[in-house]
Amino acid sequence: MIEITPSLLIDERDLQIDFVRASGPGGQNVNKVATAVQLRFDVNASSLPGDVKARLIRLAGNRITSEGVLLIEAKRFRTQEQNREDAIQRFVELVRKSLVKPKARKKTKPTQASKEERLKEKKRRAEIKKLRQERGW
């Protein structure tokens, strides 16, 4: 079980972890060893609450497929185990971020003083521009 918070645990069997060949520098080793990790998590089929699923999909951005599968690729390290831990850690952080409810926005109105100040400044600018005009009389 992967502990997201003390009250939220995700079964490791819900994660599909595949090892693939990493791109980039590494000499001959990069062509022989599959060290990069692809972590897949089906968000829609998970046991997460509905609002958390929606926030997770929004936060994941282009890492989520059209079927609702979250895909995290980890190829920072040279070993499978380090990349596996990195992918799981990034997954946990993403789920933790999605657990935080966004603060509701309160509508505000401009104060009477700020409205008057704005109009006064507009009048002042208009006067300055009026003085710049050439009179062709």
Side-chain angles (χ1 to χ4, degrees):
M1 297 295 264
I2 298 172
E3 183 176 327
I4 308 296
T5 64
S7 61
L8 180 64
L9 300 171
I10 293 180
D11 193 357
E12 281 196 48
R13 292 181 297 223
D14 292 343
L15 301 176
Q16 178 187 347
I17 297 177
D18 298 319
F19 296 100
V20 294
R21 289 186 182 151
S23 61
Q28 294 177 354
N29 193 49
V30 77
N31 299 323
K32 297 185 293 187
V33 184
T35 56
V37 173
Q38 282 187 342
L39 182 144
R40 295 174 191 273
F41 178 70
D42 192 351
V43 177
N44 295 329
S46 69
S47 61
L48 295 172
D51 58 334
V52 175
K53 285 182 188 180
R55 284 194 295 269
L56 181 59
I57 288 170
R58 187 175 46 77
L59 279 173
N62 61 358
R63 290 176 287 191
I64 200 116
T65 65
S66 57
E67 294 86 36
V69 176
L70 174 66
L71 177 67
I72 295 178
E73 290 190 9
K75 52 187 172 185
R76 193 181 323 176
F77 301 103
R78 289 186 62 152
T79 64
Q80 281 185 351
E81 191 54 40
Q82 284 179 311
N83 282 329
R84 183 179 179 279
E85 291 299 319
D86 183 39
I88 291 173
Q89 187 61 38
R90 285 168 41 197
F91 168 71
V92 168
E93 288 301 315
L94 192 63
V95 174
R96 279 191 186 139
K97 281 183 187 175
S98 69
L99 289 172
V100 178
K101 293 180 181 172
K103 201 162 71 170
R105 183 186 178 279
K106 294 179 186 173
K107 287 186 177 179
T108 59
K109 290 183 179 178
T111 62
Q112 186 66 35
S114 68
K115 286 180 184 177
E116 289 172 5
E117 184 67 32
R118 182 180 141 271
L119 292 174
K120 195 185 303 180
E121 181 60 24
K122 281 173 70 90
K123 281 192 173 93
R124 193 176 73 78
R125 294 295 308 163
E127 286 297 320
I128 290 171
K129 290 183 177 188
K130 194 181 283 185
L131 291 173
R132 288 188 201 142
Q133 288 179 356
E134 264 188 55
R135 305 275 191 220
W137 305 334

